[in-house]
Short mmCIF file of all heavy atoms in Angstrom, two decimals:
data_model
loop_
_atom_site.label_atom_id
_atom_site.label_comp_id
_atom_site.label_asym_id
_atom_site.label_seq_id
_atom_site.Cartn_x
_atom_site.Cartn_y
_atom_site.Cartn_z
N MET A 1 -18.10 -24.44 -3.71
CA MET A 1 -18.56 -23.05 -3.87
C MET A 1 -17.98 -22.47 -5.16
O MET A 1 -16.76 -22.27 -5.24
CB MET A 1 -18.10 -22.22 -2.69
CG MET A 1 -18.66 -22.72 -1.38
SD MET A 1 -20.20 -21.98 -0.97
CE MET A 1 -19.81 -21.15 0.51
N ALA A 2 -18.77 -22.19 -6.10
CA ALA A 2 -18.30 -21.68 -7.37
C ALA A 2 -17.74 -20.26 -7.26
O ALA A 2 -16.93 -19.86 -8.06
CB ALA A 2 -19.41 -21.69 -8.39
N ASP A 3 -18.19 -19.55 -6.27
CA ASP A 3 -17.75 -18.15 -6.14
C ASP A 3 -16.25 -18.03 -5.89
O ASP A 3 -15.62 -17.08 -6.32
CB ASP A 3 -18.50 -17.47 -4.99
CG ASP A 3 -19.93 -17.18 -5.38
OD1 ASP A 3 -20.25 -17.36 -6.56
OD2 ASP A 3 -20.71 -16.78 -4.51
N ILE A 4 -15.69 -19.02 -5.20
CA ILE A 4 -14.28 -18.92 -4.87
C ILE A 4 -13.41 -18.91 -6.11
O ILE A 4 -12.44 -18.17 -6.21
CB ILE A 4 -13.89 -20.10 -3.93
CG1 ILE A 4 -14.63 -19.92 -2.60
CG2 ILE A 4 -12.40 -20.13 -3.73
CD1 ILE A 4 -14.46 -21.09 -1.67
N LYS A 5 -13.77 -19.72 -7.07
CA LYS A 5 -12.98 -19.76 -8.31
C LYS A 5 -12.99 -18.39 -9.00
O LYS A 5 -11.97 -17.96 -9.54
CB LYS A 5 -13.55 -20.80 -9.28
CG LYS A 5 -13.01 -22.20 -9.01
CD LYS A 5 -13.42 -23.14 -10.14
CE LYS A 5 -12.87 -24.54 -9.90
NZ LYS A 5 -13.27 -25.46 -10.97
N LEU A 6 -14.10 -17.77 -9.01
CA LEU A 6 -14.19 -16.48 -9.70
C LEU A 6 -13.33 -15.43 -8.98
O LEU A 6 -12.73 -14.58 -9.63
CB LEU A 6 -15.66 -16.00 -9.74
CG LEU A 6 -16.56 -16.81 -10.66
CD1 LEU A 6 -18.01 -16.34 -10.52
CD2 LEU A 6 -16.11 -16.68 -12.11
N LYS A 7 -13.28 -15.52 -7.67
CA LYS A 7 -12.50 -14.51 -6.97
C LYS A 7 -11.01 -14.67 -7.17
O LYS A 7 -10.26 -13.78 -6.99
CB LYS A 7 -12.84 -14.56 -5.47
CG LYS A 7 -14.20 -13.93 -5.18
CD LYS A 7 -14.55 -14.00 -3.72
CE LYS A 7 -15.93 -13.38 -3.48
NZ LYS A 7 -16.36 -13.59 -2.08
N LYS A 8 -10.61 -15.90 -7.53
CA LYS A 8 -9.18 -16.10 -7.78
C LYS A 8 -8.73 -15.45 -9.10
O LYS A 8 -7.55 -15.20 -9.29
CB LYS A 8 -8.85 -17.59 -7.81
CG LYS A 8 -8.72 -18.15 -6.42
CD LYS A 8 -8.16 -19.56 -6.49
CE LYS A 8 -7.93 -20.12 -5.08
NZ LYS A 8 -7.39 -21.50 -5.14
N LEU A 9 -9.65 -15.26 -9.99
CA LEU A 9 -9.32 -14.57 -11.20
C LEU A 9 -9.30 -13.06 -10.92
O LEU A 9 -10.35 -12.41 -10.87
CB LEU A 9 -10.34 -14.86 -12.32
CG LEU A 9 -10.32 -16.29 -12.87
CD1 LEU A 9 -11.49 -16.46 -13.82
CD2 LEU A 9 -9.01 -16.54 -13.60
N LYS A 10 -8.11 -12.58 -10.72
CA LYS A 10 -8.03 -11.17 -10.37
C LYS A 10 -8.26 -10.30 -11.60
O LYS A 10 -7.70 -10.55 -12.65
CB LYS A 10 -6.63 -10.86 -9.81
CG LYS A 10 -6.35 -11.56 -8.52
CD LYS A 10 -4.95 -11.20 -8.05
CE LYS A 10 -4.58 -12.00 -6.79
NZ LYS A 10 -3.18 -11.75 -6.44
N THR A 11 -9.02 -9.29 -11.38
CA THR A 11 -9.18 -8.32 -12.46
C THR A 11 -8.08 -7.27 -12.31
O THR A 11 -7.78 -6.83 -11.22
CB THR A 11 -10.53 -7.61 -12.40
OG1 THR A 11 -10.72 -7.02 -11.13
CG2 THR A 11 -11.66 -8.62 -12.64
N LYS A 12 -7.49 -6.95 -13.40
CA LYS A 12 -6.49 -5.90 -13.40
C LYS A 12 -6.98 -4.70 -14.18
O LYS A 12 -7.81 -4.84 -15.07
CB LYS A 12 -5.16 -6.43 -14.04
CG LYS A 12 -4.55 -7.54 -13.23
CD LYS A 12 -3.31 -8.02 -13.92
CE LYS A 12 -2.68 -9.17 -13.14
NZ LYS A 12 -1.50 -9.72 -13.84
N ARG A 13 -6.41 -3.58 -13.86
CA ARG A 13 -6.82 -2.37 -14.54
C ARG A 13 -5.89 -2.13 -15.71
O ARG A 13 -4.68 -2.22 -15.61
CB ARG A 13 -6.82 -1.18 -13.59
CG ARG A 13 -7.82 -1.36 -12.46
CD ARG A 13 -7.86 -0.12 -11.62
NE ARG A 13 -8.31 1.00 -12.40
CZ ARG A 13 -7.86 2.26 -12.25
NH1 ARG A 13 -6.96 2.51 -11.33
NH2 ARG A 13 -8.32 3.25 -12.97
N TYR A 14 -6.50 -1.79 -16.81
CA TYR A 14 -5.74 -1.51 -18.03
C TYR A 14 -6.14 -0.16 -18.59
O TYR A 14 -7.23 0.33 -18.36
CB TYR A 14 -6.02 -2.59 -19.07
CG TYR A 14 -5.48 -3.95 -18.70
CD1 TYR A 14 -6.25 -4.81 -17.94
CD2 TYR A 14 -4.22 -4.35 -19.10
CE1 TYR A 14 -5.76 -6.07 -17.58
CE2 TYR A 14 -3.72 -5.60 -18.75
CZ TYR A 14 -4.51 -6.45 -17.99
OH TYR A 14 -4.05 -7.67 -17.63
N LYS A 15 -5.22 0.37 -19.37
CA LYS A 15 -5.54 1.59 -20.10
C LYS A 15 -5.23 1.38 -21.55
O LYS A 15 -4.15 0.86 -21.90
CB LYS A 15 -4.73 2.75 -19.55
CG LYS A 15 -5.02 4.06 -20.27
CD LYS A 15 -4.26 5.21 -19.67
CE LYS A 15 -4.60 6.50 -20.35
NZ LYS A 15 -3.85 7.66 -19.79
N CYS A 16 -6.13 1.75 -22.40
CA CYS A 16 -5.93 1.64 -23.83
C CYS A 16 -5.01 2.76 -24.29
O CYS A 16 -5.24 3.91 -23.98
CB CYS A 16 -7.26 1.70 -24.56
SG CYS A 16 -7.09 1.63 -26.34
N LEU A 17 -3.97 2.38 -25.02
CA LEU A 17 -3.04 3.41 -25.50
C LEU A 17 -3.53 4.06 -26.80
O LEU A 17 -2.95 5.02 -27.25
CB LEU A 17 -1.67 2.76 -25.75
CG LEU A 17 -1.02 2.16 -24.51
CD1 LEU A 17 0.31 1.49 -24.86
CD2 LEU A 17 -0.82 3.21 -23.41
N ASP A 18 -4.56 3.53 -27.38
CA ASP A 18 -5.10 4.09 -28.61
C ASP A 18 -6.17 5.14 -28.33
O ASP A 18 -6.15 6.23 -28.89
CB ASP A 18 -5.65 2.99 -29.50
CG ASP A 18 -4.52 2.21 -30.19
OD1 ASP A 18 -3.38 2.71 -30.19
OD2 ASP A 18 -4.79 1.15 -30.72
N CYS A 19 -7.12 4.80 -27.46
CA CYS A 19 -8.23 5.71 -27.25
C CYS A 19 -8.24 6.31 -25.82
O CYS A 19 -9.05 7.15 -25.51
CB CYS A 19 -9.56 5.04 -27.55
SG CYS A 19 -10.07 3.82 -26.34
N GLY A 20 -7.34 5.79 -24.96
CA GLY A 20 -7.24 6.36 -23.63
C GLY A 20 -8.29 5.82 -22.65
O GLY A 20 -8.35 6.27 -21.50
N ASN A 21 -9.06 4.87 -23.09
CA ASN A 21 -10.07 4.29 -22.21
C ASN A 21 -9.41 3.44 -21.15
O ASN A 21 -8.47 2.69 -21.40
CB ASN A 21 -11.01 3.40 -23.05
CG ASN A 21 -12.13 2.80 -22.24
OD1 ASN A 21 -12.64 3.43 -21.32
ND2 ASN A 21 -12.49 1.58 -22.55
N SER A 22 -9.87 3.57 -19.89
CA SER A 22 -9.36 2.67 -18.85
C SER A 22 -10.48 1.71 -18.45
O SER A 22 -11.65 2.07 -18.37
CB SER A 22 -8.89 3.49 -17.65
OG SER A 22 -9.90 4.28 -17.12
N PHE A 23 -10.08 0.47 -18.21
CA PHE A 23 -11.06 -0.59 -17.98
C PHE A 23 -10.42 -1.69 -17.18
O PHE A 23 -9.22 -1.73 -16.98
CB PHE A 23 -11.57 -1.11 -19.32
CG PHE A 23 -10.48 -1.60 -20.22
CD1 PHE A 23 -10.17 -2.95 -20.25
CD2 PHE A 23 -9.77 -0.72 -21.01
CE1 PHE A 23 -9.14 -3.41 -21.08
CE2 PHE A 23 -8.75 -1.18 -21.84
CZ PHE A 23 -8.44 -2.52 -21.88
N LYS A 24 -11.25 -2.63 -16.74
CA LYS A 24 -10.75 -3.79 -16.03
C LYS A 24 -10.77 -4.99 -16.96
O LYS A 24 -11.69 -5.17 -17.73
CB LYS A 24 -11.62 -4.11 -14.81
CG LYS A 24 -11.48 -3.07 -13.73
CD LYS A 24 -12.41 -3.40 -12.59
CE LYS A 24 -12.34 -2.29 -11.52
NZ LYS A 24 -13.34 -2.53 -10.46
N GLY A 25 -9.71 -5.77 -16.88
CA GLY A 25 -9.62 -6.95 -17.75
C GLY A 25 -9.12 -8.14 -17.00
O GLY A 25 -8.51 -8.02 -15.96
N ILE A 26 -9.37 -9.31 -17.56
CA ILE A 26 -8.87 -10.57 -16.99
C ILE A 26 -8.09 -11.31 -18.05
O ILE A 26 -8.48 -11.35 -19.21
CB ILE A 26 -10.06 -11.43 -16.51
CG1 ILE A 26 -10.85 -10.68 -15.42
CG2 ILE A 26 -9.58 -12.74 -15.94
CD1 ILE A 26 -12.10 -11.43 -15.01
N GLY A 27 -7.00 -11.91 -17.63
CA GLY A 27 -6.28 -12.75 -18.56
C GLY A 27 -5.10 -12.03 -19.21
O GLY A 27 -4.80 -10.88 -18.92
N ARG A 28 -4.47 -12.74 -20.11
CA ARG A 28 -3.28 -12.18 -20.74
C ARG A 28 -3.62 -11.36 -21.96
O ARG A 28 -3.00 -10.35 -22.24
CB ARG A 28 -2.33 -13.32 -21.14
CG ARG A 28 -1.73 -13.99 -19.92
CD ARG A 28 -0.79 -15.10 -20.33
NE ARG A 28 -0.23 -15.77 -19.17
CZ ARG A 28 0.57 -16.82 -19.24
NH1 ARG A 28 0.91 -17.29 -20.42
NH2 ARG A 28 1.01 -17.41 -18.15
N ARG A 29 -4.57 -11.86 -22.73
CA ARG A 29 -4.95 -11.08 -23.92
C ARG A 29 -6.11 -10.18 -23.55
O ARG A 29 -7.25 -10.63 -23.43
CB ARG A 29 -5.33 -12.01 -25.05
CG ARG A 29 -4.20 -12.36 -25.96
CD ARG A 29 -4.69 -13.00 -27.24
NE ARG A 29 -5.16 -12.02 -28.20
CZ ARG A 29 -6.07 -12.29 -29.14
NH1 ARG A 29 -6.60 -13.46 -29.21
NH2 ARG A 29 -6.40 -11.37 -30.01
N VAL A 30 -5.82 -8.94 -23.34
CA VAL A 30 -6.85 -8.00 -22.99
C VAL A 30 -7.10 -7.05 -24.16
O VAL A 30 -6.16 -6.54 -24.75
CB VAL A 30 -6.43 -7.21 -21.73
CG1 VAL A 30 -7.49 -6.20 -21.36
CG2 VAL A 30 -6.18 -8.16 -20.58
N ILE A 31 -8.34 -6.86 -24.46
CA ILE A 31 -8.72 -6.01 -25.57
C ILE A 31 -9.56 -4.86 -25.05
O ILE A 31 -10.43 -5.04 -24.20
CB ILE A 31 -9.52 -6.80 -26.63
CG1 ILE A 31 -8.64 -7.89 -27.21
CG2 ILE A 31 -10.00 -5.89 -27.74
CD1 ILE A 31 -9.37 -8.79 -28.18
N CYS A 32 -9.28 -3.68 -25.54
CA CYS A 32 -10.05 -2.51 -25.15
C CYS A 32 -11.53 -2.71 -25.52
O CYS A 32 -11.82 -2.99 -26.69
CB CYS A 32 -9.50 -1.30 -25.83
SG CYS A 32 -10.50 0.20 -25.59
N PRO A 33 -12.43 -2.57 -24.57
CA PRO A 33 -13.85 -2.75 -24.89
C PRO A 33 -14.43 -1.61 -25.74
O PRO A 33 -15.48 -1.76 -26.34
CB PRO A 33 -14.52 -2.77 -23.50
CG PRO A 33 -13.58 -2.02 -22.63
CD PRO A 33 -12.20 -2.29 -23.16
N SER A 34 -13.69 -0.53 -25.80
CA SER A 34 -14.19 0.63 -26.54
C SER A 34 -13.84 0.55 -28.01
O SER A 34 -14.68 0.77 -28.87
CB SER A 34 -13.65 1.90 -25.90
OG SER A 34 -14.11 3.02 -26.59
N CYS A 35 -12.56 0.26 -28.29
CA CYS A 35 -12.11 0.27 -29.69
C CYS A 35 -11.53 -1.06 -30.14
O CYS A 35 -11.04 -1.15 -31.27
CB CYS A 35 -11.09 1.40 -29.90
SG CYS A 35 -9.52 1.10 -29.08
N GLN A 36 -11.58 -2.08 -29.28
CA GLN A 36 -11.10 -3.43 -29.63
C GLN A 36 -9.62 -3.46 -29.91
O GLN A 36 -9.12 -4.39 -30.55
CB GLN A 36 -11.89 -4.01 -30.79
CG GLN A 36 -13.19 -4.68 -30.35
CD GLN A 36 -14.25 -3.71 -29.99
OE1 GLN A 36 -14.50 -2.79 -30.74
NE2 GLN A 36 -14.84 -3.86 -28.83
N SER A 37 -8.88 -2.48 -29.45
CA SER A 37 -7.42 -2.49 -29.66
C SER A 37 -6.74 -3.40 -28.67
O SER A 37 -7.17 -3.53 -27.53
CB SER A 37 -6.90 -1.08 -29.53
OG SER A 37 -5.47 -1.11 -29.53
N GLU A 38 -5.65 -4.04 -29.07
CA GLU A 38 -4.85 -4.83 -28.14
C GLU A 38 -3.69 -4.00 -27.59
O GLU A 38 -2.88 -4.47 -26.84
CB GLU A 38 -4.30 -6.08 -28.84
CG GLU A 38 -5.40 -7.05 -29.24
CD GLU A 38 -4.82 -8.31 -29.86
OE1 GLU A 38 -3.66 -8.64 -29.57
OE2 GLU A 38 -5.57 -8.97 -30.62
N ASN A 39 -3.62 -2.78 -28.00
CA ASN A 39 -2.53 -1.89 -27.58
C ASN A 39 -2.89 -1.25 -26.23
O ASN A 39 -3.24 -0.07 -26.15
CB ASN A 39 -2.32 -0.82 -28.66
CG ASN A 39 -1.09 0.02 -28.38
OD1 ASN A 39 -0.21 -0.40 -27.65
ND2 ASN A 39 -1.04 1.19 -28.97
N VAL A 40 -2.83 -2.09 -25.19
CA VAL A 40 -3.23 -1.63 -23.86
C VAL A 40 -2.06 -1.80 -22.91
O VAL A 40 -1.17 -2.63 -23.11
CB VAL A 40 -4.43 -2.43 -23.34
CG1 VAL A 40 -5.63 -2.24 -24.26
CG2 VAL A 40 -4.10 -3.88 -23.16
N GLU A 41 -2.02 -1.00 -21.88
CA GLU A 41 -1.01 -1.19 -20.85
C GLU A 41 -1.69 -1.43 -19.52
O GLU A 41 -2.75 -0.92 -19.23
CB GLU A 41 -0.07 0.06 -20.78
CG GLU A 41 -0.69 1.26 -20.13
CD GLU A 41 0.31 2.37 -19.90
OE1 GLU A 41 1.47 2.18 -20.25
OE2 GLU A 41 -0.10 3.43 -19.38
N GLU A 42 -0.96 -2.20 -18.68
CA GLU A 42 -1.51 -2.54 -17.37
C GLU A 42 -1.21 -1.43 -16.39
O GLU A 42 -0.12 -0.90 -16.34
CB GLU A 42 -0.86 -3.85 -16.91
CG GLU A 42 -1.46 -4.40 -15.65
CD GLU A 42 -0.78 -5.70 -15.23
OE1 GLU A 42 -0.34 -6.44 -16.11
OE2 GLU A 42 -0.68 -5.94 -14.03
N LEU A 43 -2.21 -1.10 -15.61
CA LEU A 43 -2.02 -0.10 -14.56
C LEU A 43 -1.85 -0.80 -13.22
O LEU A 43 -2.49 -1.83 -12.97
CB LEU A 43 -3.24 0.81 -14.49
CG LEU A 43 -3.57 1.59 -15.77
CD1 LEU A 43 -4.86 2.38 -15.57
CD2 LEU A 43 -2.44 2.51 -16.14
N ASN A 44 -0.98 -0.26 -12.38
CA ASN A 44 -0.79 -0.87 -11.08
C ASN A 44 -1.26 0.05 -9.96
O ASN A 44 -1.39 1.21 -10.16
CB ASN A 44 0.70 -1.19 -10.86
CG ASN A 44 1.12 -2.35 -11.73
OD1 ASN A 44 0.47 -3.40 -11.75
ND2 ASN A 44 2.19 -2.17 -12.46
ZN1 LIG B 101 -9.33 1.69 -26.90
#
């Protein structure tokens, strides 16, 4: 079942420190979808 693999990749919520956009991201290198900044912080 391919779906199981996808569910293991947890999406985390991030907030861009440059433009204030909040979004969901996967992985270690997360880029703001709005301004492409890497200056983001993880929200818990
Ligand atoms: Zn941004």
Side-chain angles (χ1 to χ4, degrees):
M1 299 270 242
D3 287 351
I4 294 174
K5 275 189 179 179
L6 291 175
K7 284 179 182 174
K8 279 190 177 180
L9 290 173
K10 295 180 184 174
T11 57
K12 295 179 181 177
R13 297 185 62 216
Y14 293 87
K15 180 177 182 180
C16 178
L17 299 178
D18 285 345
C19 72
N21 182 37
S22 59
F23 56 95
K24 290 177 183 175
I26 299 175
R28 292 182 182 176
R29 267 193 83 206
V30 179
I31 297 175
C32 173
S34 180
C35 69
Q36 275 74 49
S37 171
E38 294 183 24
N39 189 21
V40 300
E41 75 172 359
E42 187 180 328
L43 300 176
N44 289 310

